[in-house]
Structures are given as structure tokens and as C-alpha cells.
Amino acid sequence: MTTIPQPLVGVVLISHSDALATSAAALAVQIAGPDVQVVPAGGTDDGGLGTSPDKVTAAIQKVDRGVGVVLIPDMGGSVLTARLLEVPGQVAIADVPFVEGAIAAAVQAGIGGTLQDVLDAAEDARIYRKL
Amino acid sequence: MDTRFFTTWIEGIAKAVAENREHLTALDAAIGDADHGANLDRGFTAVREALAAAPPDSPGKALTLTGTTLIRKVGGASGPLYGTAFRQMGSVLGSAPDVTPSDLATALEAAVAGVRKLGGATEGDKTLLDALAPAAGALRRAVQNGTKTEDALDAALTAAREGARATIPLQARKGRASYLGERSIGHEDPGAASTVLILAALRDAAGG
């Protein structure tokens, strides 16, 4: 008997740096498991530091399974780009620390959390203490 | 003011941004990531190409195409911010073939509102709003007083210049510069400086 996999909330990591977004996504997937849809959208179209709305849009489409997508921007322009791409109830921004928020969101998405669950989990990353 | 007026304005911005690319980048190097000049130049170069490829048939369409292209191509915070400003203006002006000074004031006010909503900034946060909001206010007052177009746009430019200069002693509260805290004091905000270029090109488009 096969089970149809449950669609998971997607996570898009938007950083000024392609390397930062890519590595943060790899770290999050390593912790949350390979089924999680965590995709980086870092840097400009020509590979420089900045934000590419086209890359972010493509990443959203890639992870969207119809149950919601969480955008985690790093700062400045990536936050503004994310705001332009918000869709109420479908594509939402988590205003959280980039790495910790990405991991918390990925873990919650991986266990089948709803869009709100994933946003809440990411929000909790704000108050994680390391010591 | 017809479509040609607006494409002349946008061409003027592209030229001014290219000429001031190093100046804008130097301002941004002091309190940001030293890419404002390069980013805006890339954005307005793409805008020029977009306008040439699909010449708009109304002022509103010219502004909307400009905004959409800036959002896609700039790469920094100024892309979404200026992109939203131009798209808001385009939306207000719709497909009307001619724009009155009063319409233009309404469009600039919509641009201010759009930027304020997107970035969450208010005047005094050391952002481009510190130049754009006074310019919109000055244009509105001039129009209400029946000032002729060239002089009304002069008033808007003067207000933008004064607003930009007034950002120098401010501490940044929005955007990348806000991470610098007190280190952001003593430098003109690059976004306010580029807004002055945009208002200067608008004044120039009116001739006289």
C-alpha cells in the first residue's frame, strides 16, 4: 500500500548573498529532512549581492504545493522584495533571524505544519537562547 | 503634460543617474553597501530599453512600465521602493493621454503613500521619503496657489533638496543604514539624494 505524500508548506530563503541563502537552505534541509521544500533565492540575476524578484518568484513557484509558502528575507531590499510578493493566506513573510528562523520553519514544515504553524515556529526562533 | 513629457522625464532620470553613479555610490559607501549608484544605473538602463522596446501610449503606462522594470532589475532596496513609487503614479494616472499639474501632485502623493506603506518609514527616518514627501507637499501647495507648472516643479525640487540635506544629521532608522546606529549620522541619505535627481529631471522636462 502506498500513501500519497501530504503537501508541505514551502520555505524560500531570500538573502542578499547567493552563497548565504544556498548554505542556509542546505543546513535547514539537513536538519529538517530531505522531503522539506526549502529553496534559496539569493543574490542578483548577475550573481552579485542584492535581491532578484525573478529568482524569488521562481523559488515560490518551485515550492508552492498549494498549502502555503513562507518567505524568510535577510534585510533591507530582500524584505521589501518579499513584501511585494506576499499573497494573503498563501505567501507570508516570517520576520525572524535568518538562519535560526530558516531551521525552525523547515522543521515545522517537514512535520506537516500549516502555514500559520510554520510562521509561529519561525517566530519562536527569535527567543531561542544558545547559552 | 503628455506621454512625451513623461518619457523625457524618465530619460532625464536615466541620464542623471548615470552621470551621478559614482556620487550615489560614494554616499552609499558611507552608510550602506556602496551599490546605490550601480543599482539605479542598471535599473534605469533597463527602463530605457523597456520604453524603447514597447513605447507607451499614455503617461500612466510609461510610469507603470518604469516601476515594474525597476522592481525587477535594480537588485537593491531602491528597486521595490522606487518601483512602487512609479507604479503608484502610473496607477493614479491610468490611461489618460494628458496630465494636469494637479493630477501630477496627486500621483506624487500616491507615490509617497506607497513608499511609506511598503517600507514602513516615516519622515525623519533618513530615507528617500525625507526628500519625496516634502516635494509632493510643495507641488500640491504650488498647484493650489495657481503657480505655473515650471515654478511649481521648481518648488518641488527645492523642497526635495532641502529635505535631502536635512537627512545629514539624522540617524537612520530604516534599511541597511539602520544597522549602523550612530555611525549613520553625518552623511546624506543616498536614497534622498537620488530622489533629488528624479525631481530635478522632472523640473527639466518642463523646460523654461
Side-chain angles (χ1 to χ4, degrees):
Chain A
M1 192 180 88
T2 57
T3 54
I4 297 164
Q6 179 192 357
L8 301 178
V9 170
V11 179
V12 175
L13 305 182
I14 312 168
S15 172
H16 280 62
S17 156
D18 182 22
L20 178 55
T22 300
S23 296
L27 183 59
V29 168
Q30 200 243 341
I31 293 169
D35 295 336
V36 167
Q37 294 290 320
V38 182
V39 167
T44 56
D45 289 332
D46 54 9
L49 295 174
T51 314
S52 158
D54 288 352
K55 278 190 184 184
V56 179
T57 301
I60 291 170
Q61 285 165 356
K62 194 173 169 193
V63 302
D64 189 358
R65 300 284 181 275
V67 292
V69 176
V70 171
L71 308 180
I72 303 183
D74 61 357
M75 59 185 163
S78 68
V79 181
L80 299 178
T81 298
R83 290 204 58 181
L84 290 179
L85 297 171
E86 277 185 296
V87 180
Q90 295 173 51
V91 179
I93 298 176
D95 175 11
V96 297
F98 191 67
V99 176
E100 290 85 346
I103 292 168
V107 169
Q108 188 63 40
I111 60 173
T114 63
L115 177 60
Q116 191 58 51
D117 292 339
V118 176
L119 287 170
D120 290 345
E123 196 70 35
D124 284 344
R126 278 191 169 282
I127 50 172
Y128 278 166
R129 296 297 304 261
K130 292 170 195 174
L131 291 176
Chain B
M1 291 168 272
D2 57 8
T3 306
R4 177 184 277 274
F5 173 92
F6 284 88
T7 53
T8 301
W9 175 27
I10 296 159
E11 287 284 335
I13 300 169
K15 189 159 171 279
V17 164
E19 285 167 3
N20 287 276
R21 181 186 158 115
E22 300 313 317
H23 173 60
L24 293 174
T25 290
L27 289 175
D28 196 26
I31 59 171
D33 47 4
D35 63 4
H36 190 51
N39 282 346
L40 272 194
D41 192 17
R42 176 173 54 234
F44 276 98
T45 299
V47 167
R48 260 181 171 159
E49 290 164 6
L51 290 174
D57 59 7
S58 75
K61 283 181 191 161
L63 294 167
T64 300
L65 179 58
T66 298
T68 303
T69 306
L70 291 176
I71 289 171
R72 288 191 56 209
K73 297 295 181 186
V74 166
S78 50
L81 290 169
Y82 280 133
T84 296
F86 279 96
R87 284 177 55 91
Q88 287 289 110
M89 286 193 276
S91 167
V92 163
L93 299 179
S95 54
D98 263 296
V99 170
T100 66
S102 177
D103 295 337
L104 182 59
T106 304
L108 266 187
E109 285 161 354
V112 169
V115 168
R116 194 175 271 148
K117 181 157 180 274
L118 177 65
T122 54
E123 285 177 70
D125 284 348
K126 197 177 182 100
T127 73
L128 69 88
L129 266 184
D130 291 327
L132 191 60
L139 181 60
R140 171 61 69 199
R141 283 191 299 280
V143 168
Q144 279 170 346
N145 292 336
T147 311
K148 67 174 184 170
T149 304
E150 295 91 317
D151 294 340
L153 294 177
D154 254 341
L157 172 58
T158 301
R161 279 204 179 114
E162 287 169 359
R165 202 172 304 126
T167 65
I168 295 173
L170 297 177
Q171 179 172 332
R173 288 199 291 259
K174 283 286 167 187
R176 288 274 296 267
S178 64
Y179 288 84
L180 296 176
E182 289 181 9
R183 238 193 73 203
S184 64
I185 294 172
H187 303 276
E188 184 177 355
D189 179 66
S194 55
T195 295
V196 172
L197 298 180
I198 290 170
L199 270 297
L202 179 60
R203 169 64 190 88
D204 288 347

